Amino acid sequence: DAPQSKPRSTPNVLITGTPGTGKTTTAEMVAMATGLKKITVGDLVKERTLHDGYNEEFDTYWLNEDKVVDEMEDMLADGGVCVDYHTCDFFPKRWFDLVVVLRATTDKVFDRLTERGYKQNKISENIESEIMQVVLDEARESYDEEIIMELPSNTVDEMEDNVEKITAFVEQFRQARQ
Ligand code: ADP
Ligand code: MN
């Protein structure tokens, strides 16, 4: 089904997790540390209209997964990309060499989404999803266990540790593929 390209010399990394777990901040830091190109899928969806209109009830766009995958295919073809998105089950498995699932406690998710001005129903939905580890289960169903890294993201220290771990992976991958 997929166009088989030559092996990547630099990895593609997916950073996923419930909204508020720290994906975008972590991805920015990883991009700075490694030179990977950052794709914040939520922004791409808005900028390039990869959606089918607005869902008023949930204050979000109706994602058009096919359009997103088509748009991203060329960007990821040669590796070197850090992708940040809150779901992970519709990307082609072959795209990613590492899948990071960020986790945070209920109080952290609550505070961060409140700060962001999310509506109460959206905050509740996301907290429930984090407690039920929906994104982690989704990652486990979509990718090989060996490439999944579940990391806590409650404190700045933890975030710095996470960036170090991801950076180390990227460097090892590049050395192995030289
Ligand atoms: P996401 O992209 O997953 O929705 P963000 O990266 O936008 O999350 O983070 C949401 C807010 O929480 C930001 O203000 C960010 O600085 C803060 N934050 C995220 N992760 C951490 C962490 N591990 N420690 C402290 N603050 C964090
Ligand atoms: Mn984000």
Side-chain angles (χ1 to χ4, degrees):
D1 63 329
Q4 204 52 53
S5 49
K6 61 176 166 20
R8 297 184 270 274
S9 57
T10 180
N12 289 322
V13 174
L14 173 62
I15 302 183
T16 189
T18 306
T21 50
K23 300 179 297 296
T24 302
T25 315
T26 304
E28 267 162 20
M29 290 169 75
V30 167
M32 293 245 283
T34 61
L36 292 184
K37 194 178 172 302
K38 180 176 76 86
I39 299 180
T40 300
V41 177
D43 292 346
L44 194 76
V45 167
K46 273 180 264 175
E47 283 161 18
R48 307 199 181 174
T49 326
L50 311 175
H51 57 76
D52 301 315
Y54 202 70
N55 176 352
E56 296 289 346
E57 187 190 350
F58 283 101
D59 246 337
T60 187
Y61 290 95
W62 294 107
L63 191 71
N64 187 317
E65 298 178 353
D66 291 339
K67 280 188 188 169
V68 175
V69 171
D70 281 352
E71 192 74 23
M72 288 175 65
E73 186 75 67
D74 286 349
M75 301 181 188
L76 277 87
D78 298 324
V81 178
C82 182
V83 172
D84 138 33
Y85 202 50
H86 61 267
T87 62
C88 63
D89 61 349
F90 68 93
F91 299 123
K93 186 181 172 185
R94 65 191 152 76
W95 276 2
F96 297 108
D97 304 293
L98 175 66
V99 174
V100 175
V101 182
L102 295 181
R103 303 299 310 277
T105 55
T106 299
D107 56 321
K108 298 291 182 191
V109 174
F110 179 84
D111 289 349
R112 293 171 189 170
L113 296 185
T114 301
E115 174 103 350
R116 196 180 279 177
Y118 274 26
K119 283 183 190 167
Q120 198 54 58
N121 65 335
K122 209 175 165 185
I123 295 176
S124 305
E125 187 204 27
N126 282 310
I127 284 175
E128 193 175 318
S129 161
E130 181 59 11
I131 291 168
M132 301 291 285
Q133 59 175 57
V134 170
V135 181
L136 180 63
D137 285 348
E138 202 178 282
R140 287 175 171 158
E141 279 162 27
S142 308
Y143 303 93
D144 293 333
E145 183 69 38
E146 309 87 72
I147 74 157
I148 299 173
M149 218 187 248
E150 181 192 5
L151 298 172
S153 178
N154 298 299
T155 64
V156 171
D157 277 358
E158 284 176 345
M159 182 178 281
E160 284 169 358
D161 280 355
N162 297 343
V163 172
E164 263 176 41
K165 285 195 178 106
I166 299 165
T167 301
F169 171 88
V170 171
E171 283 167 1
Q172 277 161 25
F173 187 100
R174 285 169 170 165
Q175 272 164 18
R177 300 282 178 101
Q178 255 176 14

